[in-house]
Amino acid sequence: WDLGGARSSTSSFPQIQNKPLGSPGEQGQITHAHNTVSNFKRFHGRAFNDPFVQKEKEKLSYDLVPMKNGGVGVKVMYMDEEHIFSVEQISAMLLTKLKETAESNLKKPVTDCVISVLGTAFDPFLGGRNFDGKLVDYFCAEIKSKYKLDPKTKVRALLRLYQECEKLKKLMSSNSTDIPLNIECFMNDTDVSGKMNRSQFEELCADLLQRIEMPLLSLMEQTQLKVEDVNAVEIVGGATRIPAVKERIAKFFGKDVSTTLNADEAIARGCALQCAILSPAFKVREFSVTDATPFPISLLWNTEAEDTEGVHEVFSRNHAAPFSKVLTFYRKGPFELEAFYSDPNGVPYPESKIGRYVIQNVAAQKDGEKSKVKVKVRVNTHGIFSVSTASMVEPVKNEECEDVSVETEVEAQDQRPIENFSDKNIQQENSEAGTQSQVQTDGQQTSQSPPSSEPPSEENKIPDVKKTNEKKGDQPPEAKKPKIKVKNVELPIEANLVWQLGKDLLNMYIETEGKMIMQDKLEKERNDAKNAVEEYVYEFRDKLSGPYEKFVCEKDLQGFSALLAETEGWLYEEGEDEAKQVYVEKLENLKKLGTPIEMRFQEAEERPKLLQELGHRLQYYATIAGEFKNKDEKYIHIDEMEMMKVEKCVSEVVEWMNNAVSAQAKKSLDQDPAVHSSEIKAKLQELNNVCEPVVTQPKPKVDSPKEENPLSEQSDYKTEDMGDDKNSEMPQQNGECHPSDQNTINMDLD
C-alpha cells in the first residue's frame, strides 16, 4: 500500500509503504520515490553505522541519516520542509494509518490490535526480497553490459526493475520455460529486455537455498522434537511458492508439504483469531496459546568486593511469557543490574545489551548489617523485559506496628538459603528454585514445594495426636519461636535502556505525531476543497453542452464557460497550492452562476410531474363532490357544510393552477420559472389537508335490534322431568351407557 493517501496530491507529506520486506510491491508506480519510505523494519534496533544498514542504504529510494542517539533516521520533505524522523516514528505513522483504515472499514473505533512477531527459529536475511535482490543484481549487470546503462544510478529505474523482477520470479514459480523481461523507456527512453528460466534462477540463488535447512534444524532443536514426530507441515509466506524452497522443506521433513492456507493471508488470519480470543465480543473454541521468550536473558551485577561480578540467567530460551521472578539481594547501598541476551550470536541484531537498572535508596540496617532487597524482573505479554519493582525489607519496632503495614518472618533454627549463586548475597524466588520456592506470575503468587525422593525425616513427620496428648503432661511447654515484624519499602529504579525510547523522547514523539495528525486533517480538508472546485468545473462544463444547454442564454453561456476555463487554468498554475478558504471562495463564485442554471433544469424536470399529480387529486375530490350532490350512498353521511369546504378548496386550487400554468407558458427555459416545485408541493399539501379528512369520514355504526328467544335462554338448563321420562331416548355415550342408568359401571382407576 502507498499510504500517502490525501497527501499524495500535493507531494508535501512523506509517504509510507506497508509492504513486507519480502516484496517491494508496486514501487514502480510511486509518484514521489524520494519521499516514499518502505522496507524499514530491519532498521529497528540498529545503529546507523551498522554494516547491514550501510549495505541496505544503497538500495533505498530515500535517504538514511544518523540520529543523535546513533540510531537510524529517515530524511524526507514534510510540508515543503526537510525533516528527519526516526524509524520508530515511521513505524508509528504506519500503524496510525492502518488504524484509520481499519476504523473506516469497520465503522467502529479501534483501541487494541495484535501484531505478529517472528520467533522460535528464523533467518532475517532469507526472504522473498533476498530472492528478488539476486534477480535485480543479475539484470543490473546484464543491462550495464548490453545497453551501457546503470540502473543503480537512477532510483526510479531501480524500483521499476525490482517490480519487474518480482513479477518474473512469480512467473518462474509456475513455468519452467524461458520467461522474458521487457521494460519500455527504462532509462534515457531506452527499452531493455532479458530472459531467465527456473533452472538459472535456482542456480543464481543456490546460496540462499542452502540456508533454508539451518532455521529448520534450530526449530527442531528448540522444540525438542524429531522429524519423525512431525505429522504434517504447512508452509506460508510468499517465498514458499518458489518450487526449490518447497523441495528443500519437503526433503528436510521427509514428507510432502501442505499449502491449504492462503500463503499471504495466513498470518493476518492468525492475528484475527488472536483478536477474537482476546475480545469479549467473540466466543471461540477454548484453547490456550503460551508465548515464549525466544532469546535467553541474563542479569549481571557487581558484588560488594567490587572485584568480582555475579551473573545469572533469569529467563532461559523459550521460557513461558508473561512471567515474573523475584531475586533477593543483600546490600548496604545502591547497586546496578545489567540485563543482556545470554547468547549474543543467537540474536539477529548486533546489540545484545538490554539496559542498566540502578536500584536506588538502598541503605544498611541500623545495626550495620546488609539490608534485604527484593527485585522483581518481568517479561510482559509483549515479550519486553524490565526490572519492574524493587523493595527493601526493614524490621519494624513494636511502637511502629500499629501504624505500618507489616509482614511477619519466623526465624527457624535450621533455615537454609533457597539457591546459591556465585554471589552469596543473592537468592532467587521463582518456579525453578529449590525447596520452599515461590512463583510470581501475573499478579498471582503460589507456593511450590517440589517432591522429595527421600522419605521425610522424623522431625518433619506429622505427630500422632494421641501420643502427643499422652506425653503433653510429662513435658514442659515448648518455647515460642521468636517473630520479627518487617515492612517493605519501595525503592526507585533508574532505567537506562538500550534502543528503547525514554519517557521524555516518547512523549515528544507522541506530541509530534499528534501535530502531524492534525496537520493531516487540515491538509485533507484543503485537498477536498480543491478537488471540489476541480470536480465542479469538469462536471458543469460537460453539462453545459448537454442537459443544461437549453437552460442558459447565449450571453450567460459564453461568460460562464470562460469563467470555468479560467478557473481550470488557475487550478494547475498559481492556484495549485492555495489555502482551503481560497478554494471555498472560488467554488462559491462559480455556484453563483451555476446554481440558477442547475435550478432551472431541476424545476423543468420536477414541475410537470407535480402539476400532473395535483391535477389528479383535484379531479379525485371534484368527483366525490359530484357524487355527494347525486346522493350517492357512499357519501350521504357527510355533513353538507363540510362538503362545501371541499368544493371551495378545489375551486380555489384549480384557479391557482390555471394561472400558474398560464404564467409558466410565457417563460422560456433559460428564464427563472414563474412557479416553483416547492409552491406546487405546498398547494398539494394544502388541498389534501382540507379535503382528505372530509371525504374519508367513516359511516356511523347502526346497532341492529336484538331478538328475544326465551327457549334459547333456558336451553342451558336441564328440566327435572327429563330423567324420569322412560320413553325419551338420550344420546348414547361411549360404552352405550345412559347418564340416568342406575347400574353404574365399576372401574378401577389408577
Side-chain angles (χ1 to χ4, degrees):
W1 291 343
D2 182 351
L3 296 183
R7 308 170 177 176
S8 59
S9 61
T10 60
S11 310
S12 60
F13 285 76
Q15 300 174 9
I16 302 172
Q17 258 205 341
N18 178 31
K19 292 295 292 184
L21 291 176
S23 52
E26 302 297 324
Q27 291 180 333
Q29 299 180 7
I30 297 174
T31 53
H32 308 288
H34 290 285
N35 217 42
T36 300
V37 185
S38 61
N39 298 327
F40 51 85
K41 287 190 296 184
R42 290 178 175 178
F43 301 144
H44 277 285
R46 293 185 182 275
F48 177 77
N49 57 8
D50 187 302
F52 170 78
V53 175
Q54 294 302 311
K55 182 179 179 181
E56 288 291 308
K57 183 181 177 183
E58 302 173 357
K59 306 176 184 178
L60 302 175
S61 61
Y62 52 93
D63 294 330
L64 293 184
V65 294
M67 300 291 291
K68 291 182 180 179
N69 63 353
V72 180
V74 178
K75 183 169 68 174
V76 292
M77 294 298 294
Y78 173 67
M79 297 302 295
D80 296 327
E81 295 181 0
E82 191 176 272
H83 286 263
I84 296 176
F85 298 104
S86 68
V87 177
E88 292 81 6
Q89 286 179 288
I90 297 294
S91 298
M93 294 176 192
L94 172 61
L95 293 174
T96 298
K97 181 61 182 180
L98 292 175
K99 178 176 180 289
E100 292 175 358
T101 304
E103 290 177 333
S104 176
N105 283 274
L106 296 172
K107 309 299 182 186
K108 294 179 181 179
V110 174
T111 56
D112 298 289
C113 71
V114 171
I115 300 176
S116 175
V117 181
L118 291 176
T120 312
F122 66 98
D123 186 341
F125 307 112
L126 180 61
R129 184 167 179 254
N130 300 97
F131 287 94
D132 294 342
K134 291 287 186 180
L135 290 173
V136 169
D137 291 341
Y138 172 83
F139 283 108
C140 277
E142 185 177 276
I143 292 171
K144 190 173 183 180
S145 173
K146 187 176 179 181
Y147 299 96
K148 309 303 179 185
L149 299 173
D150 187 2
K152 294 184 178 180
T153 60
K154 297 288 185 180
V155 172
R156 189 179 298 277
L158 185 61
L159 293 178
R160 286 189 67 190
L161 184 58
Y162 260 104
Q163 179 187 6
E164 294 301 322
C165 285
E166 184 185 14
K167 293 179 181 178
L168 181 65
K169 178 189 67 176
K170 293 178 179 179
L171 289 172
M172 286 189 293
S173 295
S174 56
N175 298 277
S176 58
T177 58
D178 288 346
I179 307 295
L181 179 139
N182 299 301
I183 309 177
E184 296 181 356
C185 299
F186 182 62
M187 291 177 66
N188 303 334
D189 294 330
T190 303
D191 300 340
V192 299
S193 63
K195 64 179 181 178
M196 180 169 284
N197 57 47
R198 187 189 298 173
S199 299
Q200 289 176 292
F201 176 60
E202 292 177 0
E203 184 179 347
L204 194 66
C205 302
D207 58 330
L208 294 176
L209 295 173
Q210 289 176 359
R211 288 163 52 185
I212 292 176
E213 189 174 354
M214 290 304 298
L216 299 177
L217 289 171
S218 177
L219 174 66
M220 303 307 292
E221 179 185 351
Q222 292 183 45
T223 56
Q224 297 180 353
L225 293 174
K226 296 179 181 179
V227 174
E228 297 78 18
D229 299 330
V230 179
N231 296 322
V233 180
E234 181 79 27
I235 56 175
V236 296
T240 59
R241 294 190 176 97
I242 301 174
V245 174
K246 286 183 182 179
E247 292 172 5
R248 295 293 178 113
I249 298 174
K251 182 179 178 182
F252 178 85
F253 287 102
K255 54 176 60 68
D256 292 336
V257 295
S258 174
T259 56
T260 57
L261 295 176
N262 185 308
D264 297 317
E265 298 177 359
I267 304 300
R269 288 177 178 271
C271 289
L273 176 60
Q274 185 67 15
C275 286
I277 293 172
L278 297 174
S279 172
F282 294 89
K283 185 177 181 180
V284 298
R285 184 182 300 173
E286 293 186 5
F287 64 93
S288 62
V289 178
T290 302
D291 280 331
T293 306
F295 310 111
I297 299 174
S298 295
L299 279 181
L300 177 71
W301 62 88
N302 289 325
T303 62
E304 294 285 333
E306 296 292 340
D307 56 351
T308 59
E309 291 181 336
V311 64
H312 177 62
E313 186 176 277
V314 286
F315 294 105
S316 59
R317 182 184 297 274
N318 293 328
H319 193 290
F323 205 90
S324 297
K325 294 186 179 183
V326 176
L327 305 178
T328 300
F329 294 85
Y330 292 87
R331 290 290 188 270
K332 290 184 178 181
F335 60 99
E336 183 179 270
L337 299 174
E338 180 182 327
F340 63 95
Y341 292 109
S342 310
D343 181 15
N345 296 327
V347 180
Y349 290 90
E351 181 60 74
S352 62
K353 294 180 181 178
I354 298 175
R356 291 178 176 270
Y357 305 85
V358 180
I359 314 301
Q360 300 177 332
N361 296 357
V362 180
Q365 298 183 23
K366 293 182 179 180
D367 57 2
E369 292 295 325
K370 297 176 182 178
S371 294
K372 182 179 180 181
V373 180
K374 292 185 176 182
V375 178
K376 183 178 181 180
V377 295
R378 176 172 175 77
V379 172
N380 65 14
T381 186
H382 308 297
I384 299 175
F385 173 86
S386 66
V387 176
S388 54
T389 61
S391 60
M392 183 169 58
V393 181
E394 289 185 352
V396 180
K397 295 181 180 179
N398 293 333
E399 57 268 18
E400 297 179 4
C401 293
E402 297 179 359
D403 302 328
V404 183
S405 177
V406 298
E407 296 179 358
T408 303
E409 290 191 353
V410 180
E411 285 191 350
Q413 294 179 355
D414 297 330
Q415 188 177 16
R416 294 176 294 174
I418 297 174
E419 185 172 340
N420 294 324
F421 301 115
S422 58
D423 184 357
K424 296 181 179 179
N425 296 322
I426 177 174
Q427 296 177 355
Q428 180 182 10
E429 299 175 9
N430 57 41
S431 61
E432 299 172 351
T435 310
Q436 305 291 333
S437 67
Q438 287 184 330
V439 181
Q440 292 187 349
T441 61
D442 298 336
Q444 295 183 352
Q445 187 173 20
T446 59
S447 296
Q448 291 184 346
S449 298
S452 175
S453 58
E454 299 179 0
S457 63
E458 294 293 332
E459 300 173 350
N460 296 330
K461 287 183 179 178
I462 301 176
D464 191 333
V465 178
K466 293 183 179 180
K467 293 182 179 179
T468 302
N469 292 336
E470 291 176 359
K471 296 181 180 180
K472 190 173 181 181
D474 301 334
Q475 295 180 354
E478 295 182 359
K480 292 183 178 180
K481 295 180 180 179
K483 293 183 179 180
I484 300 176
K485 294 183 178 179
V486 296
K487 66 178 180 179
N488 289 326
V489 180
E490 294 296 323
L491 301 175
I493 303 173
E494 179 186 343
N496 300 303
L497 307 174
V498 178
W499 296 127
Q500 293 187 32
L501 302 178
K503 288 185 178 180
D504 294 340
L505 185 59
L506 181 60
N507 290 334
M508 186 189 76
Y509 283 170
I510 293 173
E511 182 180 354
T512 301
E513 187 179 3
K515 292 178 180 178
M516 292 178 68
I517 292 174
M518 182 57 65
Q519 186 62 45
D520 261 8
K521 183 180 179 181
L522 296 175
E523 183 67 13
K524 185 179 183 303
E525 292 176 356
R526 190 187 74 85
N527 283 326
D528 289 345
K530 179 184 177 182
N531 293 336
V533 176
E534 186 178 39
E535 182 181 348
Y536 193 86
V537 169
Y538 289 139
E539 181 182 357
F540 228 98
R541 188 168 56 188
D542 291 340
K543 289 183 177 180
L544 282 177
S545 58
Y548 290 177
E549 186 177 8
K550 299 178 182 179
F551 299 91
V552 57
C553 65
E554 186 64 29
K555 180 181 178 181
D556 291 344
L557 176 62
Q558 292 179 357
F560 193 30
S561 297
L563 180 60
L564 291 173
E566 179 187 341
T567 304
E568 182 185 11
W570 174 83
L571 278 172
Y572 298 111
E573 293 175 5
E574 63 267 21
E576 185 176 6
D577 194 15
E578 290 289 342
K580 172 188 173 183
Q581 190 58 33
V582 176
Y583 296 121
V584 171
E585 292 173 358
K586 277 286 182 183
L587 184 60
E588 289 176 352
N589 292 334
L590 292 174
K591 286 186 175 181
K592 286 179 182 178
L593 295 176
T595 300
I597 300 173
E598 188 176 15
M599 180 269 295
R600 292 177 204 136
F601 171 78
Q602 292 175 350
E603 287 290 330
E605 290 286 312
E606 295 181 10
R607 188 171 52 248
K609 298 175 183 177
L610 290 172
L611 287 173
Q612 185 179 16
E613 183 181 355
L614 180 60
H616 288 160
R617 298 305 291 177
L618 287 170
Q619 186 177 4
Y620 170 70
Y621 293 128
T623 301
I624 293 176
E627 291 177 351
F628 174 80
K629 288 181 179 180
N630 295 331
K631 306 296 182 179
D632 192 301
E633 193 174 318
K634 291 186 293 185
Y635 305 107
I636 198 170
H637 63 280
I638 300 176
D639 185 74
E640 186 175 358
M641 295 298 294
E642 292 290 320
M643 189 58 74
M644 289 178 64
K645 292 180 182 179
V646 172
E647 293 176 354
K648 181 181 179 183
C649 182
V650 169
S651 177
E652 291 175 350
V653 174
V654 167
E655 183 181 359
W656 177 88
M657 181 178 174
N658 291 334
N659 293 335
V661 171
S662 177
Q664 183 60 40
K666 298 176 183 179
K667 295 282 187 179
S668 61
L669 292 176
D670 58 7
Q671 292 179 313
D672 290 340
V675 59
H676 292 83
S677 300
S678 58
E679 297 177 80
I680 303 174
K681 289 179 181 178
K683 276 296 176 184
L684 182 60
Q685 186 65 40
E686 178 186 342
L687 178 68
N688 287 331
N689 290 344
V690 173
C691 301
E692 194 67 16
V694 176
V695 301
T696 56
Q697 288 182 22
K699 288 185 177 182
K701 293 182 179 180
V702 179
D703 296 334
S704 57
K706 295 182 180 179
E707 297 181 1
E708 295 182 0
N709 189 355
L711 295 177
S712 63
E713 292 179 1
Q714 298 178 5
S715 62
D716 294 333
Y717 300 93
K718 296 180 181 179
T719 57
E720 295 180 356
D721 58 351
M722 287 183 67
D724 296 334
D725 190 358
K726 297 180 181 180
N727 297 325
S728 63
E729 295 184 1
M730 295 292 295
Q732 295 182 348
Q733 299 180 0
N734 292 340
E736 298 183 356
C737 296
H738 297 277
S740 59
D741 196 347
Q742 298 295 326
N743 298 323
T744 59
I745 300 174
N746 295 325
M747 301 178 66
D748 293 332
L749 301 178
D750 291 335

